[in-house]
Amino acid sequence: MVDTNGVIRTVAELKSPGGLFFDELRGLYIAETGNAQIRRITRNGALEVAAAFDSAVRPCGLAEAAAGEIYTTDVAGHRVLMVNPEGVVFPAAGTGKAGFSGEGVLALTAEMEAPSGILIAGNAIHVADTGSHRLRSLTRAGDIVAPIVEPIVIENSALWNAATRLPA
């Protein structure tokens, strides 16, 4: 329900809530990572399932496109998923295999590792490819465009483990 200050008040138990966004017409969307679903709290306070995934999917980041599609990062499945307004789920980026590859190729052939954050700006989808230590950008047409920020790799340094690509 909405209180006198316009604040949505709902009592609910969520299992590992992740990313969220607010849609003026439809309410608050929450990536419920632990239950493999996206939940929605409507403007009148009802808690609904906006999208349900296979139990192996772990939705994390959330973003809404202008046409009403919802994009979510699947942190365990190493990919980005798109949910159309009818609730049908489509892969948007990533092969499902953890790794790093695919600059300048079709998004579905690129490897990602534990992507978490996601942002849609204009025609681009920006993804925090957390396990690859990169911010990546893809177009809505499905191409991996380029890394947004190229990490500094210091080979042969006491500060950098080149084998794991992590700080030593």
Side-chain angles (χ1 to χ4, degrees):
M1 83 184 201
V2 179
D3 70 13
T4 57
N5 294 318
V7 177
I8 297 173
R9 303 280 184 196
T10 299
V11 176
E13 199 169 308
L14 299 172
K15 187 174 181 185
S16 300
L20 47 90
F21 71 85
F22 185 75
D23 179 290
E24 288 287 334
L25 299 175
R26 295 179 291 189
L28 179 67
Y29 286 78
I30 306 157
E32 191 174 7
T33 306
N35 279 331
Q37 56 190 3
I38 298 172
R39 304 287 291 269
R40 175 179 49 234
I41 301 174
T42 65
R43 297 281 301 163
N44 66 1
L47 184 63
E48 303 174 342
V49 175
F53 304 100
D54 177 271
S55 62
V57 174
R58 293 292 177 255
C60 185
L62 280 182
E64 182 181 35
E69 304 99 347
I70 299 170
Y71 285 80
T72 185
T73 53
D74 176 4
V75 71
H78 313 291
R79 58 196 175 154
V80 175
L81 301 173
M82 186 270 287
V83 182
N84 73 10
E86 291 76 38
V88 180
V89 180
F90 297 93
T95 63
K97 178 183 173 196
F100 174 73
S101 70
E103 297 301 328
V105 301
L106 290 177
L108 292 174
T109 64
E111 291 179 351
M112 299 178 152
E113 188 170 343
S116 57
I118 188 165
L119 169 74
I120 297 175
N123 223 15
I125 301 168
H126 306 291
V127 178
D129 190 358
T130 306
S132 298
H133 310 285
R134 298 230 179 3
L135 298 175
R136 300 174 83 181
S137 180
L138 57 123
T139 65
R140 301 267 316 272
D143 299 324
I144 291 285
V145 176
I148 298 170
V149 176
E150 192 66 45
I152 298 171
V153 179
I154 305 170
E155 303 288 343
N156 304 321
S157 168
L159 301 175
W160 185 261
N161 181 334
T164 63
R165 299 188 345 237
L166 296 173

